[in-house]
Amino acid sequence: MVKQIFTHKIFLLLLLSLLLMVPVQSIMELNRERQAYRSQAIHSIMASSSGPQRLMGPIIVQPYTRSVTVEQDGKRFVRQEQTYRYLLPEQLDVQATMEVTPRKLGIYQAQVYQTRLSLSGR
């Protein structure tokens, strides 16, 4: 008799825990959907901005041609090669101001960074 009551209680607890898993799963599914919507909103905001950029310079590129003597099969040939010379400034001054602007899409918000640069060198 005692064993029967004990097994009934265990069975009832297992049944209740399984029944409680249904609302937990629905809440988790709702959370996953909202995370997907947030990710889509952030990607949409990123697509509306210019994206990452890289500043390279200031630099002066001087193209020039040089003659190279090549020996092949006992014969000498003069070959012209087009090469480039890169000149960097001795001193480079960079002044930057950065602005952070929040952008919203629906209930979701992302931050977009903008920078204004001023370069000078010699």
Side-chain angles (χ1 to χ4, degrees):
M1 178 80 173
V2 173
K3 287 184 181 181
Q4 234 178 6
I5 294 174
F6 186 67
T7 56
H8 286 304
K9 285 183 180 180
I10 289 178
F11 178 74
L12 187 63
L13 282 174
L14 287 174
L15 183 66
L16 285 175
S17 62
L18 286 175
L19 287 175
L20 286 175
M21 289 300 285
V22 172
V24 168
Q25 286 298 324
S26 65
I27 290 172
M28 289 177 69
E29 182 63 29
L30 179 66
N31 190 11
R32 279 192 288 273
E33 285 178 16
R34 288 187 179 172
Q35 285 178 353
Y37 289 148
R38 180 181 181 274
S39 176
Q40 288 175 356
I42 288 176
H43 285 297
S44 175
I45 290 171
M46 284 175 33
S48 69
S49 68
S50 64
Q53 296 178 0
R54 185 182 306 188
L55 174 67
M56 300 183 75
I59 188 169
I60 297 175
V61 180
Q62 291 179 331
Y64 65 94
T65 306
R66 69 179 189 174
S67 299
V68 179
T69 304
V70 179
E71 189 171 327
Q72 184 178 7
D73 298 331
K75 296 179 183 177
R76 289 189 177 186
F77 297 100
V78 177
R79 190 175 74 195
Q80 302 291 325
E81 285 186 353
Q82 178 78 26
T83 56
Y84 299 94
R85 181 177 178 192
Y86 301 101
L87 299 172
L88 298 172
E90 290 180 10
Q91 179 181 355
L92 178 64
D93 297 323
V94 179
Q95 294 180 351
T97 58
M98 180 179 263
E99 297 175 4
V100 180
T101 56
R103 293 204 181 153
K104 294 182 95 177
L105 184 62
I107 63 170
Y108 303 105
Q109 181 175 350
Q111 295 179 346
V112 177
Y113 297 92
Q114 296 176 344
T115 303
R116 298 186 192 281
L117 293 175
S118 171
L119 302 173
S120 63
R122 62 171 185 91

